[in-house]
Amino acid sequence: MFKLISGFFPNVANYWDIFMQALQATYQMFFIAGILTLLIGGIFGIALVVSKLDGIKPNRGVHFILEIITNIFRAVPFIILLIFLIPLTRSITGTSIGVKGAVVPLVFGAVPFYTRQVETALADVDAGKIEAARSMGSGTLGIVFRVYLHEALPDLIRVTTITAISLIGLTTSAGAVGAGGIGSFAINYGQNLHYQDIVNLCVILLLIIVSLIQLLGNTLSRATVNKELFHK
């Protein structure tokens, strides 16, 4: 593989160790921030649906606070958010650069987006099924897990796929301010040194990664839909 890359992308071969470190940094940022986004954004999205006025457990205060937080951080462009969160990032991780310095702004950038995606997916669940579950004595958690998450699973997989692809884009943007990863490698060793083959390989890699994520998401979504149809 190294010989193949050195033939088509000679400057990448010259910086091979740095290139591999960039790949590892991208993976770490995506994995760590992705897990946190999945957990926090999922909880926030569920809470927004549950706490709305016509939800299964209305709570005006909780709903208002979550709406404000989500709207504020969705409105701020990610590059500006990176700079704005530098003091908080340093206080949490001890640094504002590298993988550690990128995780905090990545989570703040991705969670509001995923929260809205989850909220939209859950809002499409048939109200009749929710009422049926309530009439059978299901509590809030029972309705969330047995109705909302179960019925919206195909849509949740789709929105998770969309968020994962968006997060890949955020990791490359984070590279512009010293976070490392493929984005940083493309800028520092491709654009700044005028090595077009480095930029080309980074673009190809990102296309492959995004395509694989989309393929996996589509496959899982279709599988869950087919399973639901089989049980019906």
Side-chain angles (χ1 to χ4, degrees):
M1 181 178 178
F2 179 78
K3 290 182 179 180
L4 179 64
I5 290 178
S6 62
F8 289 96
F9 310 99
N11 292 302
V12 175
N14 294 334
Y15 297 100
W16 184 253
D17 290 340
I18 299 174
F19 173 64
M20 295 305 294
Q21 291 173 8
L23 285 179
Q24 182 179 7
T26 295
Y27 168 76
Q28 290 174 337
M29 285 188 287
F30 176 76
F31 182 77
I32 298 171
I35 293 297
L36 292 173
T37 298
L38 188 67
L39 293 174
I40 300 172
I43 292 172
F44 280 11
I46 292 170
L48 277 171
V49 172
V50 169
S51 64
K52 63 183 180 179
L53 292 180
D54 58 345
I56 59 176
K57 198 173 182 64
N59 190 313
R60 190 187 298 266
V62 170
H63 190 80
F64 177 76
I65 292 172
L66 290 176
E67 282 279 355
I68 292 297
I69 293 173
T70 302
N71 290 338
I72 288 176
F73 285 100
R74 280 196 70 191
V76 181
F78 183 65
I79 293 295
I80 297 176
L81 189 63
L82 278 168
I83 300 170
F84 174 74
L85 291 174
I86 284 177
L88 177 63
T89 302
R90 283 178 177 165
S91 67
I92 294 175
T93 65
T95 181
S96 61
I97 60 175
V99 173
K100 288 184 178 180
V103 169
V104 173
L106 283 172
V107 170
F108 272 85
V111 164
F113 178 78
Y114 187 56
T115 296
R116 288 302 186 194
Q117 295 286 324
V118 171
E119 180 188 17
T120 301
L122 297 182
D124 290 335
V125 173
D126 187 357
K129 294 182 179 180
I130 297 172
E131 288 303 319
R134 296 178 87 170
S135 66
M136 289 187 290
S138 293
T140 302
L141 289 179
I143 295 175
V144 167
F145 285 99
R146 296 172 189 167
V147 181
Y148 274 121
L149 298 184
H150 181 267
E151 294 295 325
L153 185 57
D155 288 334
L156 287 173
I157 293 175
R158 293 189 192 101
V159 301
T160 300
T161 302
I162 293 170
T163 304
I165 292 173
S166 176
L167 187 57
I168 290 291
L170 295 183
T171 62
T172 57
S173 299
V177 292
I182 295 176
S184 178
F185 184 72
I187 293 171
N188 295 331
Y189 296 90
Q191 181 184 10
N192 293 346
L193 297 181
H194 305 290
Y195 291 149
Q196 187 62 37
D197 61 320
I198 290 180
V199 177
N200 293 342
L201 181 60
C202 290
V203 171
I204 291 171
L205 275 175
L206 290 172
L207 286 174
I208 293 173
I209 292 171
V210 167
S211 298
L212 289 175
I213 293 173
Q214 187 67 62
L215 177 63
L216 177 62
N218 290 343
T219 302
L220 291 175
S221 180
R222 283 196 298 268
T224 54
V225 170
N226 293 335
K227 185 177 180 181
E228 288 293 326
L229 291 175
F230 176 78
H231 283 295
K232 289 180 180 179

